[in-house]
Amino acid sequence: MQNKGFVRVFAVLLTLVCAFYLSFSFVTNSYYNKAKEYAAGDPLKESHYLDSLSTEKVWLGYTLKKCRTMELNLGLDLKGGMNVILEINVADVLKSLSNDNPDPNFNQALANARERQAKSKKDFVSLFVEEYHKLDPGARLSVIFGTFELKDKITTQTSDAAVESILREEIKSAMDNSFNVLRTRIDRFGVVAPNIKQLDTDGRILIELPGIKDPARVRKLLQGSANLEFWGTKNFTEIYQDIDRVNKKLAEIAKVDAKGASESIDPQEVVADDALAESKGESIAEKTSTDLLVENAEEEHIEGLTQTNTDSLGMMSAEDFAKENPLYAVLNISVDQEGRILPGPVVGVSHYRDTATVNAYFNNPQVKNILPKGLLLKWTVKAFDEKEQYYQLIALDASKSRDGKAPLEGDVIIDASSDFGQHSPFAEVSMAMNAEGAKKWARLTKENIGRSVAIVLDEHVYSFPTVNSEITGGRSSITGNFTAEEGKDLANVLKSGKMSAPARIIQEDVIGPSLGQEAITQGFISFIVALLALMLYLVLVYGFKPGMIANVALLLNLFFTIGILASFQAVLTLSGIAGLVLALAIAVDANVLIYERIKEELRGGKTLKKAVDEGYKKAFSAIFDSNLTSIMTGVILFVFGTGPIRGFATTLIIGIVTSFITAVFLTRLFYETSFAKGRLLDLTFTTNLTKNFLVNPTYDFLKKRKLVYVVITCLTVICVVALGWKGLNQGIDFTGGRNYVVRFDQAVNTAEAQTMLESQFEGSVPSVITIGSPNQVRISTNYMITDSSEEVDSEIETKLYEGLKPLLKEGTSEETFLEDYVLSSQKVGPSIADDIKQGAILAVIFAVLAIGLYILLRFRDVSYSVGTVVSLIQDALFILGIYAIFWGILPFSLEIDQTFIGAILTALGYSVNDKVVIFDRVREYSHIYPKRDKESLFNLALNSTLDRTFNTSVSTFLVLMIIFAFAGDTIRSFSFAMIIGVVMGTFSSLFIAAPIAFEIQNKKFLKKQALHTHK
């Protein structure tokens, strides 16, 4: 083997990279275990422990917080949580850009474009322009969009093409702004390792929130419009005495009896709406902030604000101080070390654990009477210390607001940008307002000269720059030691109020933690059992030493695959585990190809060294081709799939690449190194079980091909009739709707449950099927699926609870039902269902055509492409036919959804592997025996690869049966489709693809022969 040095260096580097990235998972797991041991079952204490160490450097200079972001993340189907796809309505953005133009042609064009979008691959702007020109051929877009806000970009002379380009830019800006708003909301919500990204489809954003326990609150949080406001502020010097009176009043309240105190102050009522407290998984602090400031006294920027509090302690205990000064115990007021009040609107700072308590205090009715009217207190959106633990409380001035509205709102912003100033190393943010906004801004800045103006988005302060003079003309610059990233964030915040483009949820999955834990257990068991079965199979077929060498390669493949997933910061899902297992099966196929080739060379009389060398060389092309076609199907799955399918495709692609490296290069390097040292010279690559198995078989595969054609035709007719008569059981991925997996305390009669729900879901009776155990059902309904209001999800959950109430324990509340009985929920809106269905159809078509084209380019003979494509179509049709015939009969779900399409494409990729190996052997024998007739060449190729076909099919079948048996209901339908695909793929390779290729080649051969005889 050439380039041994390169292979060694590459293997070492890959090992080091994988070990580096996987090390973070080991480090974080050790801290998770320490946190559990410390908390002794209390999740609040566990969260406190991890948060207290989040900014500490724990591994190779990385903080624990950074380590947690770099660990191998588990998908929501493994640990529970919420997966949401939001869509921003482009039509609403266009209406906003037109200032809600009432032109009937404009509004009709928007409506027509909406209808066409469901069936077209064009973007919305193109569809709108086409429809607008159809309705009014001579009209100019500049008339509609030449608004005051866009006057610098669109004039009456601007061409339609230019307007269209500007609209695309504005829409992209709106999408980016909405994305930034959502990202900030999620960051404040405090989910560990959230995932938020813009999808390829215009206006769609994917959000994954592990560990979410309140889906209703998340829906409300995500679907609300951005609320950007500008407020004047009050200096702390003006309200210090009021704040001090609040502290004294709270001390008085604390001295009343326990009942009176609990009635007067109920912090829990406020905690429910406090984003900062929940952002760390907390409610009310277990420690006082006095305890915290002792722990953090080394921080100078915090110490300056808290020195007065610590001095006030003197010999007083923390508990006594908290009793005498309830507010100051949780809010470090804005004073310097000498106790002088600091200028500006900052009232004080609090540790995130204490923000909820501060809110509770200020929301107490008795306290509100003390505070001056028009005073609003808002937290900053970001912590200002390095450890990201302390937040500032800002005093806003609403004394001149009659209806509670801000004096200036974000809809007046025309544009905002961030750049570095000419004479400053810090970023400078510029913003421009419309005419109305310019007037209000001039008034607001004039009234607040020498004070700060607070920029507030979603009730949190993003910035509070000081006003030096009245600003007229609507153009302003904001400075404040901003980094490039901070400046960009502030510019995005300002632009977020530019237009109304609320997001709406079009797909949603909620998986409970118990179901996630079951999925982990089932996935882990299926993986371990499948891996052990594969390793044992290789040892039994090829002997202990060759089998163990292949097994070590499998383990290395597993290590590399997981390491690369971790380096990409990919998420490992249950379907990803299935992809991992399947990739191992494909890795076994590479070893089988090599070992079978080596056995052939040994039977031909060659020495062991020569046989191994020839075996690797001759197996290379077949391994390369089969792996490449599998990668092609994986890429198509990744492009057209979403969510779990992409996770499966990612794992499969990485697993195939690493299996090629380990099976083709590393094992060969090991054999050659061992041979050079005089080791492993007694290998036979057989055992007593397999020594004489399928040695030189002579079965005539082509003799009864016409009978096979008849049988295949009959099966095809049966499948087509079943598809036309009974049809397929389409899941909500393709039809739209909602799924709920509900587990009861006892076995449930599905017909009885369906009858109970009938009265609740008028005109749309849900389907109820048993899934898994007898006490677990899945309820599917498309009731009100087109309704996009915020309340509809809660309404349907209530209907579900009311209908199933007789099956629940007496006294079970709706909240308990949703938390303890509903294990998971899924929602797919009609628009995304149409997209998924269209994508699935295109994925299958592209996969078949791409594979056929590759075979044509690789083998330079159309007969191989025709044979492959026909057999692949037959494979897919047979799988669909089985699903059509048996859905409703077999005791598990046979729904057609994204996972099923993934199974079909994977089965097609697997099926091609076998065909490529056979065709590769036909091509090889055609060069070795050019004078032999085609029939004998094809039969020879089929027989010589039969042992490889058998071993690969059996090992893959074994893996899939293990997944089917152990991996649970989530991917049972997937594994069942794959099992059918393996059986049908093996059959079609031997009896469809090869015979069809033979028929075409033989006709060409006979035609040539006839022409030659004629001449």
Side-chain angles (χ1 to χ4, degrees):
M1 184 177 73
Q2 298 178 344
N3 300 317
K4 292 181 183 178
F6 173 78
V7 173
R8 287 193 180 97
V9 171
F10 179 81
V12 170
L13 290 177
L14 184 59
T15 302
L16 291 175
V17 169
C18 292
F20 171 74
Y21 281 101
L22 288 175
S23 67
F24 292 102
S25 297
F26 287 102
V27 170
T28 53
N29 281 331
S30 69
Y31 279 94
Y32 294 154
N33 291 332
K34 290 177 183 177
K36 287 179 181 177
E37 184 180 345
Y38 166 80
D42 186 339
L44 193 62
K45 285 187 177 180
E46 188 176 331
S47 179
H48 282 178
Y49 182 89
L50 293 172
D51 286 335
S52 66
L53 296 172
S54 62
T55 53
E56 299 294 330
K57 293 181 179 179
V58 296
W59 176 246
L60 300 177
Y62 290 89
T63 63
L64 180 59
K65 181 179 180 180
K66 184 63 176 175
C67 288
R68 293 177 76 175
T69 64
M70 296 185 70
E71 67 181 347
L72 181 64
N73 289 317
L74 297 179
L76 300 187
D77 54 357
L78 291 177
K79 61 181 177 182
M82 191 174 185
N83 176 306
V84 171
I85 294 179
L86 296 120
E87 184 175 65
I88 297 161
N89 196 319
V90 180
D92 287 347
V93 179
L94 289 178
K95 288 189 73 173
S96 177
L97 289 170
S98 73
N99 274 345
D100 291 324
N101 196 305
D103 181 73
N105 288 334
F106 167 67
N107 288 285
Q108 186 60 49
L110 288 176
N112 293 349
R114 281 194 197 99
E115 290 182 12
R116 286 184 59 190
Q117 192 177 33
K119 300 177 181 178
S120 174
K121 295 304 288 182
K122 291 184 179 180
D123 64 89
F124 188 86
V125 174
S126 298
L127 295 173
F128 160 73
V129 172
E130 289 177 10
E131 291 298 321
Y132 185 63
H133 285 155
K134 282 181 188 177
L135 294 168
D136 195 346
R140 295 174 63 88
L141 291 173
S142 58
V143 175
I144 298 293
F145 296 102
T147 61
F148 181 84
E149 288 78 5
L150 294 175
K151 66 179 181 179
D152 294 336
K153 299 179 180 180
I154 299 176
T155 67
T156 54
Q157 304 303 316
T158 307
S159 67
D160 282 358
V163 172
E164 191 173 341
S165 176
I166 291 167
L167 291 179
R168 293 184 198 282
E169 290 176 7
E170 293 296 315
I171 287 169
K172 184 180 185 304
S173 177
M175 302 308 172
D176 292 342
N177 297 340
S178 296
F179 176 81
N180 288 321
V181 169
L182 290 170
R183 182 180 62 184
T184 306
R185 289 176 179 178
I186 293 304
D187 289 343
R188 278 211 319 272
F189 200 81
V191 181
V192 176
N195 177 31
I196 173 169
K197 60 184 178 182
Q198 289 179 291
L199 301 179
D200 296 334
T201 306
D202 284 344
R204 287 185 182 170
I205 297 171
L206 168 69
I207 297 175
E208 293 181 332
L209 306 172
I212 285 298
K213 297 178 181 178
D214 190 356
R217 184 176 171 216
V218 173
R219 295 180 192 120
K220 184 178 179 181
L221 177 81
L222 297 181
Q223 295 186 115
S225 298
N227 184 27
L228 177 65
E229 301 170 327
F230 296 85
W231 289 92
T233 61
K234 286 182 177 290
N235 284 323
F236 184 43
T237 52
E238 299 173 295
I239 60 171
Y240 170 72
Q241 291 182 349
D242 298 307
I243 299 297
D244 195 54
R245 282 197 291 271
V246 167
N247 180 58
K248 292 175 181 176
K249 183 64 177 178
L250 290 170
E252 291 176 15
I253 295 173
K255 293 176 182 177
V256 302
D257 58 66
K259 182 180 179 182
S262 63
E263 289 176 353
S264 299
I265 304 174
D266 187 1
Q268 295 296 338
E269 293 179 2
V270 182
V271 171
D273 294 320
D274 191 278
L276 288 176
E278 287 203 17
S279 72
K280 305 294 182 181
E282 318 262 352
S283 55
I284 300 301
E286 289 189 344
K287 300 179 180 180
T288 67
S289 65
T290 308
D291 298 322
L292 296 170
L293 63 89
V294 170
E295 295 173 1
N296 297 283
E298 72 278 9
E299 296 184 40
E300 293 180 3
H301 55 288
I302 299 297
E303 187 177 352
L305 294 172
T306 58
Q307 188 64 46
T308 301
N309 284 16
T310 54
D311 291 344
S312 300
L313 279 170
M315 300 300 292
M316 191 185 301
S317 68
E319 185 178 352
D320 290 338
F321 179 81
K323 287 179 180 179
E324 295 294 328
N325 301 277
L327 179 62
Y328 296 158
V330 289
L331 177 68
N332 300 313
I333 58 172
S334 187
V335 294
D336 62 17
Q337 294 184 6
E338 281 74 38
R340 291 173 300 201
I341 301 169
L342 294 173
V346 179
V347 176
V349 299
S350 282
H351 195 278
Y352 63 78
R353 294 192 184 111
D354 298 323
T355 56
T357 308
V358 173
N359 285 355
Y361 286 156
F362 282 119
N363 277 280
N364 176 32
Q366 296 183 53
V367 168
K368 284 183 176 181
N369 293 329
I370 296 174
L371 294 172
K373 289 184 178 180
L375 174 65
L376 298 177
L377 298 172
K378 304 288 183 185
W379 295 103
T380 53
V381 72
K382 291 183 179 179
F384 79 109
D385 63 311
E386 289 183 2
K387 293 190 175 184
E388 300 181 5
Q389 294 182 334
Y390 284 87
Y391 292 80
Q392 294 169 300
L393 186 64
I394 310 300
L396 308 184
D397 184 5
S399 58
K400 297 179 182 179
S401 175
R402 296 180 181 178
D403 52 3
K405 286 187 176 181
L408 187 63
E409 296 186 335
D411 56 350
V412 302
I413 301 291
I414 295 175
D415 199 9
S417 60
S418 173
D419 204 350
F420 285 94
Q422 294 182 353
H423 308 291
S424 171
F426 300 107
E428 184 177 294
V429 179
S430 302
M431 66 175 176
M433 298 180 180
N434 60 24
E436 181 188 358
K439 292 178 184 177
K440 292 181 178 179
W441 183 236
R443 185 165 59 249
L444 180 63
T445 53
K446 184 178 181 180
E447 292 172 351
N448 286 277
I449 294 175
R451 298 174 182 266
S452 296
V453 171
I455 301 169
V456 180
L457 179 68
D458 289 343
E459 301 296 318
H460 284 77
V461 178
Y462 277 73
S463 180
F464 46 98
T466 302
V467 178
N468 296 319
S469 62
E470 178 186 357
I471 302 173
T472 58
R475 293 188 177 273
S476 314
S477 292
I478 303 172
T479 57
N481 297 348
F482 299 127
T483 64
E485 184 178 355
E486 288 170 342
K488 185 179 178 182
D489 287 345
L490 181 55
N492 285 329
V493 166
L494 293 170
K495 288 193 289 185
S496 69
K498 182 179 173 182
M499 60 186 67
S500 176
R504 62 188 182 91
I505 294 173
I506 56 172
Q507 182 174 343
E508 171 188 303
D509 291 286
V510 181
I511 300 170
S514 60
L515 198 61
Q517 185 57 51
E518 288 178 12
I520 292 177
T521 304
Q522 292 167 343
F524 182 75
I525 291 173
S526 67
F527 178 78
I528 294 299
V529 174
L531 181 61
L532 291 175
L534 282 175
M535 294 174 72
L536 180 61
Y537 187 84
L538 287 171
V539 170
L540 290 175
V541 172
Y542 297 109
F544 181 76
K545 291 180 181 178
M548 289 308 298
I549 291 169
N551 289 336
V552 171
L554 284 182
L555 294 175
L556 273 175
N557 178 35
L558 175 62
F559 171 73
F560 289 151
T561 302
I562 297 178
I564 293 172
L565 281 172
S567 68
F568 288 164
Q569 295 191 344
V571 177
L572 185 63
T573 62
L574 189 58
S575 57
I577 292 177
L580 199 60
V581 175
L582 196 60
L584 292 179
I586 292 173
V588 168
D589 179 47
N591 285 288
V592 168
L593 273 168
I594 293 167
Y595 284 0
E596 292 300 332
R597 274 292 195 170
I598 292 172
K599 285 164 63 178
E600 286 182 40
E601 299 300 323
L602 288 173
R603 287 197 294 267
K606 293 182 180 178
T607 63
L608 178 62
K609 290 183 181 180
K610 186 66 175 175
V612 169
D613 185 53
E614 289 294 316
Y616 275 93
K617 286 180 180 178
K618 291 181 178 180
F620 181 85
S621 63
I623 295 172
F624 180 83
D625 288 334
S626 60
N627 283 2
L628 188 57
T629 51
S630 294
I631 288 175
M632 285 169 59
T633 58
V635 170
I636 291 170
L637 273 172
F638 185 85
V639 170
F640 289 96
T642 59
I645 297 303
R646 281 197 166 188
F648 170 80
T650 302
T651 309
L652 184 65
I653 292 169
I654 294 172
I656 291 170
V657 172
T658 56
S659 73
F660 187 79
I661 295 169
T662 55
V664 174
F665 296 108
L666 296 187
T667 56
R668 185 176 182 183
L669 181 64
F670 180 80
Y671 277 117
E672 291 187 1
T673 303
S674 298
F675 290 159
K677 294 180 179 180
R679 299 172 184 167
L680 303 179
L681 298 176
D682 58 341
L683 301 181
T684 62
F685 294 90
T686 60
T687 64
N688 291 331
L689 291 173
T690 61
K691 184 163 54 176
N692 298 315
F693 182 69
L694 293 178
V695 176
N696 299 321
T698 57
Y699 183 78
D700 191 345
F701 286 93
L702 301 178
K703 184 177 180 180
K704 297 182 178 180
R705 63 184 182 278
K706 292 183 180 178
L707 176 62
V708 173
Y709 295 158
V710 173
V711 173
I712 292 296
T713 302
C714 292
L715 289 174
T716 302
V717 170
I718 292 171
C719 290
V720 170
V721 169
L723 287 168
W725 169 58
K726 193 175 179 183
L728 294 167
N729 181 23
Q730 294 188 57
I732 66 169
D733 281 358
F734 293 159
T735 62
R738 292 176 173 84
N739 278 341
Y740 298 91
V741 175
V742 184
R743 181 180 294 167
F744 297 92
D745 299 313
Q746 70 285 334
V748 173
N749 183 307
T750 55
E752 181 184 344
Q754 189 165 319
T755 303
M756 291 176 179
L757 293 169
E758 189 171 349
S759 60
Q760 295 291 327
F761 294 85
E762 306 90 354
S764 181
V765 182
S767 107
V768 183
I769 63 170
T770 301
I771 180 166
S773 56
N775 66 327
Q776 187 168 292
V777 300
R778 192 188 65 200
I779 301 165
S780 303
T781 178
N782 59 6
Y783 180 71
M784 296 181 70
I785 192 59
T786 57
D787 190 332
S788 58
S789 63
E790 293 181 20
E791 300 79 18
V792 68
D793 294 297
S794 298
E795 182 181 337
I796 289 174
E797 288 170 352
T798 300
K799 287 179 175 292
L800 200 65
Y801 165 69
E802 293 295 338
L804 298 174
K805 213 171 187 179
L807 299 175
L808 307 176
K809 286 181 180 178
E810 189 175 347
T812 301
S813 65
E814 181 177 346
E815 183 180 356
T816 303
F817 168 71
L818 294 174
E819 287 185 5
D820 298 342
Y821 288 83
V822 179
L823 302 183
S824 72
S825 64
Q826 181 186 21
K827 169 188 172 183
V828 179
S831 62
I832 199 167
D834 289 338
D835 290 348
I836 291 171
K837 184 187 291 187
Q838 190 176 39
I841 294 169
L842 289 174
V844 175
I845 293 172
F846 276 127
V848 173
L849 292 178
I851 290 169
L853 181 61
Y854 176 78
I855 297 294
L856 178 62
L857 294 174
R858 184 65 174 159
F859 290 94
R860 304 299 177 96
D861 194 322
V862 73
S863 64
Y864 297 125
S865 291
V866 173
T868 300
V869 170
V870 171
S871 61
L872 291 182
I873 292 173
Q874 181 61 47
D875 292 345
L877 184 61
F878 191 75
I879 296 173
L880 289 169
I882 290 292
Y883 268 61
I885 293 168
F886 289 103
W887 76 266
I889 297 174
L890 293 177
F892 53 90
S893 172
L894 289 179
E895 277 188 350
I896 307 301
D897 53 16
Q898 285 191 90
T899 305
F900 172 79
I901 297 300
I904 282 192
L905 291 177
T906 309
L908 296 184
Y910 169 84
S911 180
V912 169
N913 288 358
D914 212 11
K915 294 161 181 59
V916 165
V917 171
I918 293 169
F919 292 157
D920 187 69
R921 192 62 67 93
V922 172
R923 181 175 58 179
E924 180 185 336
Y925 285 160
S926 296
H927 293 301
I928 297 174
Y929 310 113
K931 294 184 179 181
R932 284 197 185 182
D933 63 276
K934 292 294 180 181
E935 186 169 358
S936 61
L937 281 176
F938 269 85
N939 270 320
L940 182 61
L942 287 165
N943 279 289
S944 61
T945 57
L946 190 59
D947 49 359
R948 175 264 163 198
T949 299
F950 177 85
N951 285 323
T952 298
S953 299
V954 169
S955 59
T956 308
F957 184 84
L958 184 65
V959 165
L960 292 169
M961 286 300 295
I962 291 168
I963 295 176
F964 182 82
F966 293 103
D969 301 299
T970 313
I971 55 173
R972 182 159 286 152
S973 180
F974 169 88
S975 53
F976 182 69
M978 277 296 299
I979 289 169
I980 300 170
V982 167
V983 174
M984 190 61 202
T986 304
F987 177 83
S988 67
S989 298
L990 298 173
F991 297 105
I992 300 178
I996 288 176
F998 161 72
E999 297 278 11
I1000 296 172
Q1001 288 191 22
N1002 195 46
K1003 283 182 181 179
K1004 287 182 182 178
F1005 178 76
L1006 293 175
K1007 189 175 181 180
K1008 277 186 182 179
Q1009 212 172 35
L1011 287 172
H1012 182 73
T1013 304
H1014 181 69
K1015 289 180 180 179

